[in-house]
Amino acid sequence: MGRTAIKLKPLSVVLCAILLAAAPAQGLEAEFYGQGHISADSVDDGQNRSEYFASNSSRLGLRGRQQLSDGIDLLFQYEQGVDLTGQGENDGNGPGSTSGLFTAARVSYLGVTGDYGTLRAGKLDGLNQWVYDYNLFADQVGDLGNLWGGTGLAGRISDAAQYVSPVFEGFTVGLTYVPEEGVDDADLFLLKADYQRNELKLGLAFADIGSDWQAIALTGGYEWDEFTFGGGWQREESIADIRGNDRNSYTVGASFALKNGVIFKAQVARSNGKATDSDATQWSVGVDYQWDSALTLYLALATTQNDDNATFSANNWGKGDAVFPAAGQNPNAVSFGMVYRFQMSAGRHPSGS
C-alpha cells in the first residue's frame, strides 16, 4: 500500500501530534482514527426524484488505554461526527447535528477494564448494539435501520453507563443503564448477550425503555468461505409508551465475495405494525469493491414499499440528505459511494499488549 496523506486543520495536527508523541513516554496507547463516507445519490420519494451529494456518518475520533494498576486499564474514546459536504445537518450522525464541519457527538466515554469485565460511561450505543449485528448496507441506502429504527429506541443514547462481562466460552453479556434524571419512568435498561464460535455469531437483546415501552431482538450471522448469510427479528411493544403501538420486524440477507475484492450482497427487511396499514418492506441490492484495506467503493440500490399509513424511507439510517416520503408513498434510491478509513497509532502498553 502506498503512503497515505492526511490533511487536517493545523490545530488538530498539533493536538494529535502531542498526544501520539507523548504516548510512549506515558505508557499510553493512543489511536487517532477517522472515516470519510461520501456518495452521489438519486432519490425518489414516491412523487419526485432529486439528486444529492451526501456525507454519511463520517467521523473523527481519538481512543486509547492506559494502565492504572496491575490488571486494570483506563479506557477512553472521544468521537465526533463530521460533514464532508459542509452543510452540517442531515449528515447521518443523528439528532443534534449543527451547521459546519463538526456535527453531532458519537460514541464517547471514559471507562476501566480488567479481568472482571469493562465498565464505561458516556454516550453509548442503543439500538445500534444489535441493528448492525448483520446489516449488509450499513450507512448506505437500504440500511436495515430504515425499518428497524426511527420508531423506537435511538441508535445512540446519552448519559449512559455500561458493564460488559469478560468472554466466557464464546459468551459475553452487557448491561446498559440510563437514569431518570428528574423524569419519572424515563430510566432505561438494555441487556445484550452475544455468542461467537468460529464463523457463527448470535445476539439477543432486551430493552426496557419506559413504563410500558419494551423491545426485544434476536440476530444471527454465519460465514462460510466466500459466503455470509444472516438475519434477525425485532419486537417492539408500546412504542413511546403508547399501549397497543406494537411492531414486529424481520430481516434476512446474504453476500458473496470474489477474490478480486468484489462483494455482491442482497437484503430484505419487513416491518409489521399493529396499527392499520402501517406495514413496510425494503429490498436492497448492491456491490462493494474493496480497493484496499482503507478504501471501499460501492453501488447500492434500495426500494421501500409502504402501506397506506406507513412513511418508511429508503435512505434514512446513517445516511446524509435523508428523504422521508409521504404516507403510502414508495421511495427508492440509487447510490454510488466511497468510504475511506484511516488510523494512526502510537505508544505501547507497559505489559506489551
Side-chain angles (χ1 to χ4, degrees):
M1 185 185 304
R3 182 177 298 174
T4 300
I6 303 170
K7 296 183 179 180
L8 300 172
K9 291 184 176 181
L11 180 58
S12 299
V13 173
V14 172
L15 290 176
C16 293
I18 292 173
L19 286 168
L20 295 177
Q26 298 176 356
L28 170 70
E29 288 184 338
E31 179 181 75
F32 179 59
Y33 65 95
Q35 174 177 300
H37 179 179
I38 197 162
S39 63
D41 305 337
S42 178
V43 184
D44 190 330
D45 64 3
Q47 297 174 309
N48 300 290
R49 179 171 291 278
S50 188
E51 284 67 49
Y52 303 86
F53 284 116
S55 179
N56 312 297
S57 296
S58 300
R59 68 203 70 163
L60 289 172
L62 177 69
R63 61 191 169 205
R65 61 193 297 158
Q66 185 170 12
Q67 188 176 35
L68 296 178
S69 63
D70 189 23
I72 300 179
D73 287 0
L74 171 74
L75 301 177
F76 64 88
Q77 177 170 302
Y78 312 118
E79 187 171 292
Q80 177 71 41
V82 299
D83 183 357
L84 299 180
T85 63
Q87 64 182 354
E89 297 180 340
N90 196 2
D91 70 329
N93 280 306
S97 295
T98 58
S99 61
L101 174 64
F102 296 98
T103 59
R106 295 173 56 88
V107 171
S108 303
Y109 56 82
L110 287 176
V112 292
T113 187
D115 294 339
Y116 297 100
T118 300
L119 181 65
R120 57 184 182 165
K123 184 167 188 175
L124 306 175
D125 282 328
L127 179 64
N128 288 352
Q129 288 191 39
W130 67 83
V131 79
Y132 290 118
D133 280 357
Y134 191 82
N135 186 350
L136 297 173
F137 292 82
D139 299 338
Q140 300 178 11
V141 301
D143 191 303
L144 175 60
N146 293 333
L147 263 63
W148 281 35
T151 61
L153 179 65
R156 289 180 290 273
I157 48 180
S158 301
D159 308 317
Q162 181 186 68
Y163 167 76
V164 179
S165 73
V167 179
F168 179 73
E169 298 293 332
F171 287 94
T172 58
V173 178
L175 177 63
T176 305
Y177 170 67
V178 177
E180 288 183 338
E181 297 194 338
V183 181
D184 290 342
D185 295 323
D187 52 350
L188 179 150
F189 294 90
L190 194 163
L191 179 67
K192 179 71 188 307
D194 292 292
Y195 173 74
Q196 181 172 355
R197 183 176 180 84
N198 298 325
E199 292 80 14
L200 175 66
K201 295 181 181 180
L202 300 174
L204 176 64
F206 172 77
D208 189 335
I209 307 168
S211 57
D212 298 303
W213 188 358
Q214 294 182 338
I216 187 170
L218 178 64
T219 61
Y222 187 79
E223 296 183 10
W224 179 51
D225 293 333
E226 295 84 8
F227 292 92
T228 77
F229 55 92
W233 162 78
Q234 175 180 272
R235 166 74 176 173
E236 300 169 280
E237 295 184 352
S238 301
I239 300 170
D241 277 333
I242 301 174
R243 292 189 179 182
N245 187 16
D246 304 337
R247 183 166 289 277
N248 283 298
S249 301
Y250 316 86
T251 185
V252 63
S255 71
F256 174 69
L258 303 179
K259 295 186 182 300
N260 61 0
V262 174
I263 301 173
F264 296 97
K265 58 187 183 179
Q267 183 170 282
V268 60
R270 173 76 176 171
S271 187
N272 298 329
K274 190 173 182 179
T276 304
D277 292 329
S278 63
D279 300 347
T281 303
Q282 177 179 263
W283 299 86
S284 311
V285 294
V287 57
D288 293 348
Y289 175 55
Q290 296 180 336
W291 184 287
D292 55 27
S293 60
L295 178 64
T296 300
L297 306 177
Y298 69 84
L299 175 66
L301 300 86
T303 181
T304 300
Q305 300 172 346
N306 285 309
D307 283 357
D308 288 345
N309 295 321
T311 59
F312 291 94
S313 172
N315 73 322
N316 173 22
W317 204 261
K319 278 288 297 176
D321 288 313
V323 175
F324 299 93
Q329 298 298 318
N330 299 321
N332 64 80
V334 180
S335 178
F336 174 75
M338 61 185 301
V339 183
Y340 173 70
R341 302 175 179 88
F342 73 86
Q343 60 186 41
M344 297 185 297
S345 302
R348 179 176 294 274
H349 195 282
S351 65
S353 61

